[in-house]
Amino acid sequence: MKEQLMKELKQAMKEKDVLKKGLLQLLIAGIKNEEIKEKRELTKDEQLTVIKRELKQTKDSLEQAVNADRKDIAEEQRKKIKILETFLPKFLTESEILEVLKSKGAVKGMNKGQLIGMVMKEHKSEVDGALSLIHISEPTRRSYISY
């Protein structure tokens, strides 16, 4: 992941894309800071966590810009979000989540935590834990979860 960010940074510098260059420098610095803090190289999942954190902050900034009616800042934040999302893996679809649940032996009556755990165990970077079951339609959820 870090290598990909460095490659993208070089490309942004060649293209003189100031916004992308600044964002990539911020991500690389964030990853390096975490590595210094942890005193080791970060795993791919840990690097993705840094990117997700920056995405969350950028979305918060977008919301504040929209509330303050700052169209210029809002547009810049939208561009940053698009760039950040290119580095995140695609989330599992509903059918892919259902396949994981079936293959792990999910049965009716299990609680949400158990189901999320089944999916997260092997697909952490492809699912957002709290949101993974939101991607599953209500009727399907009812067939697995007892409320």
Side-chain angles (χ1 to χ4, degrees), residues 100 103-104 117-127:
V100 171
S103 71
K104 297 294 177 191
M118 291 175 129
V119 176
M120 294 287 289
K121 195 170 196 174
E122 293 177 20
H123 300 278
K124 185 177 181 181
S125 65
E126 301 169 72
V127 236

Side-chain angles (χ1 to χ4, degrees), residues 34-84:
E34 285 293 316
E35 288 178 339
I36 290 168
K37 188 172 123 184
E38 297 292 324
K39 297 179 181 162
R40 63 178 172 78
E41 292 249 341
L42 296 181
T43 65
K44 184 178 179 184
D45 282 343
E46 291 169 329
Q47 291 176 17
L48 287 172
T49 301
V50 172
I51 295 171
K52 287 177 185 177
R53 185 181 322 133
E54 183 59 35
L55 179 62
K56 183 181 183 305
Q57 290 173 351
T58 305
K59 286 181 177 180
D60 290 344
S61 296
L62 172 61
E63 185 180 325
Q64 291 174 0
V66 169
N67 290 341
D69 199 30
R70 294 289 311 266
K71 291 180 173 77
D72 54 330
I73 295 173
E75 186 56 36
E76 184 178 299
Q77 298 306 316
R78 284 187 189 96
K79 288 178 184 176
K80 285 182 179 181
I81 289 169
K82 275 188 165 185
I83 294 168
L84 288 167

Side-chain angles (χ1 to χ4, degrees), residues 8 11 13 27 42 46 57 72 79 101 113 115:
E8 291 282 333
Q11 188 63 32
M13 292 169 116
L27 290 174
L42 296 181
E46 291 169 329
Q57 290 173 351
D72 54 330
K79 288 178 184 176
L101 290 172
L115 294 173

